[in-house]
Each structure stands twice: as structure tokens, then as C-alpha cells.
Amino acid sequence: MRNAGLGGWPARRAQMSPHRTAFVFADREVSYAEVHERTARLASRLREAGVGAGDRVAYLGPNHVAFAETMFATHLLGGVFVPLNFRLAAPEIAYMLGDSGAGVLVYAPECAGVVRDQPYLPGLRTVVALRSPGAEERDFESWLSEGDPAPVDVPVALDDIALILYTSGTTGRPKGAMLSHANLVWNCLNMMVGVDVTSTEVTLISAPLFHVAALNQTLLPTFLKGGTSVIMPSWNAGACYDLIEKHRVTWMFGVTAMFAEFARSPRWADADLSSLRTLMSGGAAIPVQLIRTYQERGLVFCQGYGLTETAPGATFLEAGESVRKVGSAGVPVFFADVRVVRPDLTPVAIGEPGEVHIQGPNVTPGYWGNPEATAAAFTGDGWFRSGDIATVDGEGHLTIVDRVKDMYISGGENVYPAEVESVLFEHPSVAEAAVVGVPDRTWGEVGRAFVVPRAGATVTPGGLGEFLRTRLAKYKIPVYYDIVDALPRTGSGKIRKPELRTRPLPDGSHQARGEG
């Protein structure tokens, strides 16, 4: 086989374990043999649609088996898969489709409104719906079934680009982080060193697959080992309990909001969770008390740290250290190096905060069509700048303590204040705006916007919230709004965001929370 990338995985797995179940979705089970046949058929249809080496295929929708099938079929042809965040607004989706130059879009029925609300871009040649909402779109299943099941074998190198994953940028424009097939393979190896993934693994995919963690930290390692991925369309604590008990789930990944809701469920005390071998978190530091809640239930809870640009694993706390080092992000993954440095790139002392840098075969080659951002992301000696601040203890364990940039994480989603501020500035009555993240019990963090109205103009929290709802994804919209006369500034004119973060929250009224 000339395909050294992920596109060859279905054929290799079908040869080794054809009858094992690769995916479970709703009441449907898909064997590795079926995945192989379906991806070959789909690849033939994509090739007829003009997809070849380096061409981009986008996917928009909640978790579904079709996500993985479309990805593997794209990789069979040497194409680049572009998973899109279905929570985004139509203008945000349009930008990513245009920036990536995607020629094919596969989308779920839940996203039909977003797709129809934007003009099809000139480069978008083919649009396929999982269930056809109209005559103009092709239906995914019928389209796939008419494809040729003959094996596809085109040369694909490990260094070829496999994914473009969009991350929100501090300038208000998202950047497309490129990940090669090699990045993904090395990340799987790192994951399987840190977690004892087995061929009998039953992995619950409950976080969004368009995120690097759900895809690369759970689905791909499980597929590589020949285990079973139980795919949830979206997070639901009750359904999660049902699936764990029904399928005897052994491994799952989640973020703070998911694990907090799961533990608050009335089913927590009595549910049969005995099959779970490993719980894994990422996206943001999990509160120590929440980790201990799981440990007291007899569950192994491991944390990791990483970024989209590192595919994503950079550090990991193995199960054996999960109690003694609770709250730590662990040590560098096996096949990567991590350093914590001062601004002059000298190593920090024990306990001294510094910026996390990563180097290794899991690190992105750069940003799609953005050489300036790529150059800025790396140091002169070739280390990737994470933009995150950490401390290191005497045993080399990292603890993430802050972010160099102003990004905050809400429900596992990265939110960049500059993007929200740029949209607020579009409001005709807004003169200035500053957004910071503040703690929230449910989502980890939520946004708080400080807004200065234009002279003679009036703005209300409810009006600002309504203005943003059609322009930004829901999780990016601030929860709190402060209408102020001026913003605090440094001597050089920069806004003092640390001062804004320390101000007491508004009184919690519906006006302060932008709900009316």
C-alpha cells in the first residue's frame, strides 16, 4: 500500500480485524470491514467531484459516523480534511470555507440553515447532506452507495497535510492550524504510551469531533488499536450514563463542564461505572475538587495539556500519578520535548511561572496560508510558543497557571476576547469594548464585556447580547455586561485587563447578564 497516512488505516484494520466493531452510533454498529468498504465507495465519489492530492474537503455537523468516513475517504485520496465547528455562525463558517478553499462540503441536517444562509463560495463544487433537505443537495447515503468499492491506493506521505483545524485568532480572524499525517501518528503513539489502550477498548466519544482532543486523543488511538468508538451526537449526561452501562465503556474524555454535570446527576451515586478504566480531561485545568470527586468514586482521572497545534498532546499525567500529583498537567509526552522559559528563553526556576514551549514530531508545520503567523509561532531555535504560562515542580511536572494571551475557555471552547471585541465595535453605539473571562461553575469561564457607549448614545446589556447572537457562536457571547464611562489604561494607552478581571461581578440581574 502506497498510502502511508490515515487513509490506509481502514484497509489495514479490515485486514487485521474485519469483524470487530469500529463504531457504534445510536442503534447502528459498523465493523472495520464495513468502514473499509464505505470509505472506498466514498473516496470514489469524492474523486469524481474533483478531489485529489492536497484538495480540501470540509465537514459541518455534530458527531456522526459520517465524520470519520469522510475524513478517511479524503485521506485515501491524499486530500486535506477540514472539520468545522457546527456551533459557529454562518459568516464564521463562510470565512473558513473560503480561507481553506474547500471544494466539497458534507453537512448534517442540523446545519442546513447555516449552509443555506450563506452564498455558496465559487470554490465549493459539491455539497452533500447527510439527509437531503432539498433537491439541490446530494444525499450522503445514496451518493456513497453508488460509489465504486474497489480499493483506492494513491501515494500519500507521512509529511503530507491531513487536517486543517481552525483556531480563533487574537486579531479576530481564525487561523487554520495544519496537522500532517505524521503529527497524528506520533500523537497516537504518545497517547498509547500514556494510556494503556487495548484492542478491547470501548471509548465514549462525547466531546465534539471537530475538536482536536476528541478526534486525536480518543477516536484515532482507539481505531488504530482496533477498539470500538461509541459516538454520541452531542453531550448529554443522562445519555452518557446509559451508554456506559449498555456498552461497558472503558475510556472517555471530557472537559470541566461535562465532568461537573455528570457528577451532579442524581444517578451519580448508584450508577454502574465499574467498566471505566480511564477518565481523561483537557481543554482547561480541571478543578482539583472535581478530580477528587471522581477519585473518591474509585475512578482513575488523568489530566493532560496540549494545543491544537501540538496534535494536541504536549504533557500527560499518567494514571499512577493521578492521585499524588492531582491538579498537575503531568510531564512531557514520550515523543516530544517541553520547556518552560522566561522571555529571554532561559529556563525558569522551580515554581517560577514561564511560557510553555513544545518541540517534537507532533508539532504543526504552521498555519494554512499564513506564513506571518507561522513565523511568529516559533522561536528562533525552532520551539512552538504555546502562549500559556506554567510552573514546573522539582520532579518536572507542569501546572498550567495562566495564559500569555487573553484567551479564556468556556465549556471546553477557546474564546479569544479580541474577536468578540471586534464584533462589539461594529455596534453603531459602541465606542470601546474590552472582554475578559471570569469564573463560572458550569462552564469553567464565561465572558464579561466592559462597554463604553458613544457620546449621546445608549446601549443596554440585552441589546448588546441580541446584537452578538447573529454574529457569533453562542459560547463566545459574554454573559455579563458592564456599561462604563471609560476603560482603565496603562501609561502607554493599553487597557488594564488584569484590573478588569478583579472587579466584583454585576449584581446578577437580567440587565447585567444581557438577558433582556
Side-chain angles (χ1 to χ4, degrees):
M1 182 177 292
R2 295 179 297 166
N3 192 324
L6 271 64
W9 286 17
R12 297 177 193 275
R13 257 292 139 214
Q15 189 173 47
M16 296 178 71
S17 54
H19 304 301
R20 282 192 209 156
T21 300
F23 302 120
V24 174
F25 183 78
D27 295 325
R28 176 185 169 205
E29 294 187 1
V30 186
S31 71
Y32 280 99
E34 289 175 296
V35 173
H36 173 39
E37 179 187 345
R38 286 174 61 83
T39 53
R41 289 182 183 275
L42 184 53
S44 77
R45 299 315 310 264
L46 291 174
R47 184 160 49 191
E48 291 170 9
V51 176
D55 290 321
R56 277 76 65 202
V57 175
Y59 186 96
L60 179 67
N63 291 354
H64 195 283
V65 174
F67 179 105
E69 293 171 337
T70 304
M71 177 187 69
F72 284 129
T74 300
H75 291 156
L76 260 178
L77 301 172
V80 180
F81 186 59
V82 186
L84 300 174
N85 184 342
F86 65 90
R87 298 170 178 169
L88 298 177
E92 296 169 298
I93 296 297
Y95 171 78
M96 293 174 187
L97 287 172
D99 183 71
S100 66
V104 176
L105 170 66
V106 177
Y107 74 92
E110 296 91 336
C111 303
V114 171
V115 173
R116 285 198 293 262
D117 285 346
Q118 64 186 28
Y120 289 139
L121 300 163
L124 203 56
R125 300 183 301 273
T126 302
V127 179
V128 184
L130 295 189
R131 289 200 303 270
S132 183
E136 294 183 3
E137 293 89 0
R138 295 168 174 83
D139 174 70
F140 182 85
E141 283 299 326
S142 60
W143 193 60
L144 181 153
S145 65
E146 294 168 3
D148 186 350
V152 177
D153 186 22
V154 300
V156 177
L158 280 171
D159 288 337
D160 290 346
I161 301 304
L163 302 175
I164 298 175
L165 297 166
Y166 278 90
T167 63
S168 296
T170 55
T171 60
R173 283 294 193 186
K175 297 178 293 186
M178 298 182 289
L179 293 178
S180 68
H181 291 274
N183 292 153
L184 303 179
V185 169
W186 283 105
N187 181 78
C188 283
L189 292 177
N190 283 328
M191 195 71 264
M192 289 189 287
V193 170
V195 177
D196 294 329
V197 185
T198 73
S199 60
T200 60
E201 209 72 59
V202 180
T203 305
L204 185 63
I205 311 296
S206 52
L209 280 168
F210 61 75
H211 271 321
V212 68
L215 176 58
N216 296 354
Q217 296 290 79
T218 50
L219 187 143
L220 288 181
T222 302
F223 194 96
L224 186 57
K225 285 292 292 185
T228 299
S229 290
V230 179
I231 300 175
M232 295 181 69
S234 58
W235 168 252
N236 178 282
C240 184
Y241 278 104
D242 294 340
L243 291 172
I244 289 171
E245 294 183 2
K246 179 179 180 179
H247 298 288
R248 303 299 294 166
V249 169
T250 60
W251 184 25
M252 65 176 285
F253 166 88
V255 298
T256 300
M258 294 163 60
F259 282 122
E261 183 184 358
F262 191 76
R264 286 196 303 265
S265 168
R267 297 174 66 175
W268 170 253
D270 301 320
D272 181 4
L273 304 179
S274 60
S275 63
L276 287 171
R277 292 198 293 258
T278 307
L279 300 176
M280 197 168 71
S281 69
I286 300 285
V288 171
Q289 186 54 51
L290 181 58
I291 296 174
R292 289 187 172 136
T293 297
Y294 279 81
Q295 291 175 341
E296 290 165 2
R297 185 70 162 74
L299 298 169
V300 175
F301 201 107
C302 299
Q303 280 198 153
Y305 163 75
L307 306 96
T308 299
E309 292 89 342
T310 58
T315 70
F316 192 72
L317 184 68
E318 292 193 359
E321 297 292 322
S322 60
V323 174
R324 188 173 72 92
K325 292 288 187 178
V326 61
S328 165
V331 298
V333 293
F334 199 90
F335 294 107
D337 292 308
V338 176
R339 70 185 186 186
V340 181
V341 296
R342 304 182 180 103
D344 63 1
L345 303 187
T346 57
V348 297
I350 293 175
E352 177 189 356
E355 185 179 12
V356 181
H357 291 178
I358 305 103
Q359 189 177 66
N362 57 319
V363 176
T364 177
Y367 297 102
W368 176 261
N370 198 335
E372 295 81 8
T374 299
F378 289 87
T379 63
D381 55 349
W383 291 73
F384 181 79
R385 304 175 185 270
S386 73
D388 292 316
I389 296 292
T391 58
V392 184
D393 68 15
E395 296 177 299
H397 285 72
L398 276 71
T399 298
I400 308 300
V401 296
D402 202 351
R403 304 176 181 95
V404 174
K405 303 166 187 174
D406 291 321
M407 183 194 84
Y408 62 93
I409 299 176
S410 185
E413 298 279 3
N414 291 354
V415 182
Y416 289 83
E419 183 182 10
V420 183
E421 290 161 1
S422 69
V423 177
L424 279 169
F425 284 137
E426 295 175 9
H427 193 291
S429 298
V430 172
E432 291 183 285
V435 176
V436 298
V438 296
D440 183 82
R441 289 185 178 181
T442 300
W443 304 110
E445 293 174 288
V446 295
R448 181 182 184 184
F450 295 83
V451 177
V452 179
R454 292 187 182 276
T458 300
V459 295
T460 65
L464 292 171
E466 189 62 32
F467 179 80
L468 295 178
R469 282 187 191 102
T470 59
R471 293 166 171 82
L472 290 172
K474 185 177 180 180
Y475 67 85
K476 297 180 182 179
I477 299 173
V479 168
Y480 300 102
Y481 295 83
D482 297 66
I483 312 303
V484 297
D485 295 328
L487 297 172
R489 297 184 180 275
T490 65
S492 61
K494 294 181 180 179
I495 297 171
R496 294 182 182 271
K497 287 197 171 181
E499 180 181 327
L500 294 178
R501 293 189 186 98
T502 61
R503 292 187 180 182
L505 286 174
D507 62 10
S509 69
H510 69 282
Q511 289 88 4
R513 294 177 63 89
E515 296 169 357

